[in-house]
Amino acid sequence: IVVPPGVRRHEPVTVQVKVHALGAMSARIRLASGTRRLGAANVTLRPGANDIAFETALTGVGETTLTATVRADGDRFEGNDTLAASIDVGPPPRVLHVEGVPESAHHLADALRAHHIDVTVAAPDALASGASPLAGFDAVILSDVFVQSLDARAAAAIERLVRDTGGGLIFAAGESTYGQEGFAGSALERLLPVR
């Protein structure tokens, strides 16, 4: 059972079940997490290694046991038909949504929450408060934020998140963010893939 590293709760993930067959045969492969069935597939195994992919999402946080079971036609050795693997499932991503127009914040926040993302909505001045305003967040979204709202401390905090911790930055531009009057030439512009 192979799971990509760093999987998080409710995140879509491809779990590979590797099955070795001595000969060609029809089989049913099942994948479960505890009593919860994650998927099942009817396959034709070929001699040797076979990879069966399951698209799923894991609902627990912490150590989780996945179990794969193979039932094959003509299999005389049922003792090796089940395999369990323990994996660590992380919590959902935490995102700080900094919105320049507070009355618009709920649209994006609601959409992210519907996809099991932990969202905190804040005004731009929240980035300048405290020693590490982005501690514990996996990403920050700046949505239609005026350049005047982000001081040097806020830009430095975002830069640390992106460069030092590998966090994400999503920059949703608005009417006030383009050109010389916006973020051109700023510390934030250095973090973006556009100029």
Side-chain angles (χ1 to χ4, degrees), residues 99-146:
E99 176 61 57
V101 184
E103 58 271 15
S104 300
H106 71 92
H107 297 293
L108 179 57
D110 291 346
L112 293 171
R113 288 182 185 119
H115 288 279
H116 308 287
I117 295 173
D118 182 3
V119 180
T120 299
V121 177
D125 59 0
L127 289 175
S129 61
S132 52
L134 297 177
F137 288 101
D138 298 296
V140 63
I141 298 172
L142 300 179
S143 179
D144 202 14
V145 174
F146 293 92

Side-chain angles (χ1 to χ4, degrees), residues 32-37:
S33 173
T35 58
R36 182 174 168 253
R37 189 176 99 167

Side-chain angles (χ1 to χ4, degrees), residues 56-84:
T56 189
L58 303 172
T59 57
V61 173
E63 189 171 326
T64 301
T65 300
L66 299 182
T67 305
T69 305
V70 180
R71 295 288 179 253
D73 295 343
D75 183 7
R76 295 171 297 173
F77 306 103
E78 295 184 1
N80 64 355
D81 292 352
T82 301
L83 177 68

Side-chain angles (χ1 to χ4, degrees), residues 2 7 17 39 45 59 63 77-78 82 88 91 94 99 109 117 120 130 139 150 155 174 177 183 185 188:
V2 179
V7 66
V17 176
L45 299 175
T59 57
E63 189 171 326
F77 306 103
E78 295 184 1
T82 301
D88 187 43
R94 290 194 66 224
E99 176 61 57
I117 295 173
T120 299
L150 297 177
T177 57
F183 288 89
L188 188 63

Side-chain angles (χ1 to χ4, degrees), residues 33-54:
S33 173
T35 58
R36 182 174 168 253
R37 189 176 99 167
L38 299 178
N42 293 318
V43 298
T44 300
L45 299 175
R46 60 182 186 280
N50 297 265
D51 290 343
I52 297 90
F54 291 93

